[in-house]
Amino acid sequence: GDSVTQMEGPVTLSEEAFLTINCTYTATGYPSLFWYVQYPGEGLQLLLKATKADDKGSNKGFEATYRKETTSFHLEKGSVQVSDSAVYFCAFATGGYNKLIFGAGTRLAVHP
Amino acid sequence: SQTIHQWPATLVQPVGSPLSLECTVEGTSNPNLYWYRQAAGRGLQLLFYSIGIDQISSEVPQNLSASRPQDRQFILSSKKLLLSDSGFYLCAWTDPPNYNEQFFGPGTRLTVL
């Protein structure tokens, strides 16, 4: 069935380090792909999205490329900041009503 | 602009008690509405979605129910809470012409003791 697999956290990095959070999905067809971010005590915010193969979503220095051949949507950032500390969720939309299937989330902790 | 509200923000309830969580959306019409739950240390699971008033679809069998008495109001309920109902409940909406993004509310943290 439909599912998303994310790398387990927590991921602990020093400020200005390079970040990669892996995400692969199992889905029927070619769904839209998303990264959502959840800051401590808050709801989810859309970070970036890609709607078709080879699209690159980007926002706030984060990037992810829709790789159809590997069914992946890995999140990257070249230089993380303490303010990037949060939980990151990979997701895709399925079905006719935009139901989202989420990964388990990856907690990122960035230290000064 | 559109906003989404949830209340209460936090709730502590005893096992066996009833539950009512409310979600309202402002600034849009005929949205699709969704209830998700985030259990401790786990990802989000879609519980219910609604494409219109009194049109509710359940994604997983459980102790909860949902209702949509008005276009922009979505309510999550239970007659008798279980310990396993504890979690962070998130409401979301999407505008049907723009299915590519869902907007989430601030969430309700429910602890069942």
Side-chain angles (χ1 to χ4, degrees):
Chain A
D2 294 339
S3 65
V4 176
T5 302
Q6 287 182 237
M7 64 187 291
E8 290 189 23
V11 174
T12 303
L13 295 173
S14 297
E15 206 164 24
E16 299 184 2
F18 183 85
L19 168 71
T20 300
I21 300 178
N22 290 337
C23 170
T24 58
Y25 64 91
T26 300
T28 304
Y30 305 109
S32 295
L33 304 176
F34 306 88
W35 277 101
Y36 279 84
V37 59
Q38 184 180 32
Y39 297 103
E42 299 183 10
L44 270 70
Q45 304 174 25
L46 180 66
L47 180 60
L48 53 83
K49 66 181 181 183
T51 58
K52 61 183 186 294
D54 300 324
D55 268 3
K56 177 184 284 187
S58 61
N59 186 25
K60 299 181 181 179
F62 291 89
E63 294 182 340
T65 301
Y66 191 143
R67 299 293 188 196
K68 183 178 68 173
E69 62 278 7
T70 55
T71 62
S72 64
F73 193 51
H74 305 320
L75 182 68
E76 297 181 337
K77 187 174 185 180
S79 176
V80 293
Q81 306 300 312
V82 173
S83 57
D84 294 326
S85 298
V87 181
Y88 292 81
F89 292 92
C90 184
F92 69 85
T94 184
Y97 300 111
N98 199 39
K99 297 177 287 184
L100 291 177
I101 305 296
F102 283 90
T106 302
R107 183 175 299 279
L108 170 66
V110 181
H111 299 289
Chain B
S1 64
Q2 302 90 355
T3 56
I4 178 168
H5 305 279
Q6 286 187 247
W7 64 88
T10 60
L11 190 60
V12 180
Q13 292 285 94
V15 169
S17 64
L19 173 74
S20 181
L21 303 182
E22 190 163 343
C23 169
T24 58
V25 181
E26 296 176 357
T28 187
S29 296
N30 303 313
N32 284 4
L33 298 173
Y34 309 83
W35 277 111
Y36 292 88
R37 176 171 61 199
Q38 183 180 20
R42 301 176 67 179
L44 281 83
Q45 180 182 37
L46 177 64
L47 302 177
F48 301 94
Y49 69 94
S50 171
I51 62 170
I53 295 174
D54 295 330
Q55 299 181 69
I56 311 294
S57 295
S58 174
E59 287 295 292
V60 293
Q62 59 207 315
N63 185 43
L64 303 168
S65 61
S67 61
R68 185 171 176 176
Q70 302 179 44
D71 180 47
R72 288 169 287 179
Q73 184 185 32
F74 204 23
I75 298 172
L76 185 69
S77 304
S78 175
K79 293 182 179 179
K80 290 186 177 181
L81 283 169
L82 305 173
L83 287 174
S84 58
D85 292 324
S86 294
F88 192 49
Y89 289 83
L90 289 160
C91 180
W93 71 275
T94 192
D95 186 0
N98 181 26
Y99 267 141
N100 279 330
E101 184 166 354
Q102 283 187 25
F103 301 92
F104 284 80
T108 295
R109 185 162 302 282
L110 171 66
T111 303
V112 182
L113 301 176

